[in-house]
Amino acid sequence: MTAVKASRLITGAVGAAVGVLGLSAVWPGLSVLNADSGLCLQVNPAQGWIGLNLHLLMASEACPEGSFAPGPALATAVGFSVVVSLSVLIAGLTSIAFGVGFGIAIRRALRRARGWWRRRLRPARLGGLVRPAPVPVPVRVPGRRVQRSHSPRQLRGPPTSC
């Protein structure tokens, strides 16, 4: 294994791990989005202050002291987090796959499939279709002007008008 493949594997593993951690952190937020409107989230004061300022949480009379109702921007934030985490996970897994030679295997498989399709779809096998033989086509060529060739004496020296 070369150094390039090893670094690609390490980078891919780190990316996949970050993607999995991001998804595991966001997963509980998906259940909050499907809950009824009477749900109250228990958060510490610093998280509550940040959530209120970003409109992720909102104060509600139905929630006891120290808990907040989901805000209007919570669904957008959770959706964005899921998209980013999935993208990082897919990029990491792709990097790992190409690090172990998955790209070469795909290229070989596509070449085999292309050869198989070419053998199966030849025109001779499609209902007896054959390529027509080339036929000569008469083309009329217009007459060409004949250029006068000058004698070497006329081509050397000063012009004759001088």
Side-chain angles (χ1 to χ4, degrees), residues 111-136:
R111 283 183 185 166
R112 277 191 236 132
R114 184 178 63 199
W116 184 82
W117 278 106
R118 282 184 179 170
R119 286 190 304 272
R120 297 281 186 243
L121 297 177
R122 283 195 176 155
R125 293 184 183 179
L126 289 176
L129 296 175
V130 293
R131 181 181 290 174
V135 178

Side-chain angles (χ1 to χ4, degrees), residues 33-162:
L33 298 179
N34 296 331
D36 60 346
S37 61
L39 178 71
C40 294
L41 302 173
Q42 187 72 25
V43 294
N44 64 32
Q47 289 176 335
W49 181 79
I50 292 171
L52 286 173
N53 286 334
L54 294 177
H55 301 288
L56 299 174
L57 303 172
M58 62 183 185
S60 174
E61 295 86 25
C63 294
E65 186 66 32
S67 62
F68 300 95
L74 185 64
T76 306
V78 170
F80 179 76
S81 299
V82 167
V83 168
V84 170
S85 298
L86 276 177
S87 300
V88 170
L89 176 65
I90 290 171
L93 292 176
T94 304
S95 180
I96 290 172
F98 284 121
V100 296
F102 189 67
I104 296 171
I106 288 176
R107 185 184 306 164
R108 287 179 185 163
L110 288 176
R111 283 183 185 166
R112 277 191 236 132
R114 184 178 63 199
W116 184 82
W117 278 106
R118 282 184 179 170
R119 286 190 304 272
R120 297 281 186 243
L121 297 177
R122 283 195 176 155
R125 293 184 183 179
L126 289 176
L129 296 175
V130 293
R131 181 181 290 174
V135 178
V137 177
V139 177
R140 188 170 183 196
V141 179
R144 298 182 183 167
R145 293 183 184 172
V146 178
Q147 290 184 338
R148 297 172 136 179
S149 60
H150 299 286
S151 65
R153 183 184 301 171
Q154 291 177 343
L155 294 178
R156 288 183 276 164
T160 55
S161 63
C162 292

Side-chain angles (χ1 to χ4, degrees), residues 15-25 85 89:
V18 168
V20 168
L21 286 174
L23 282 176
S24 66
S85 298
L89 176 65

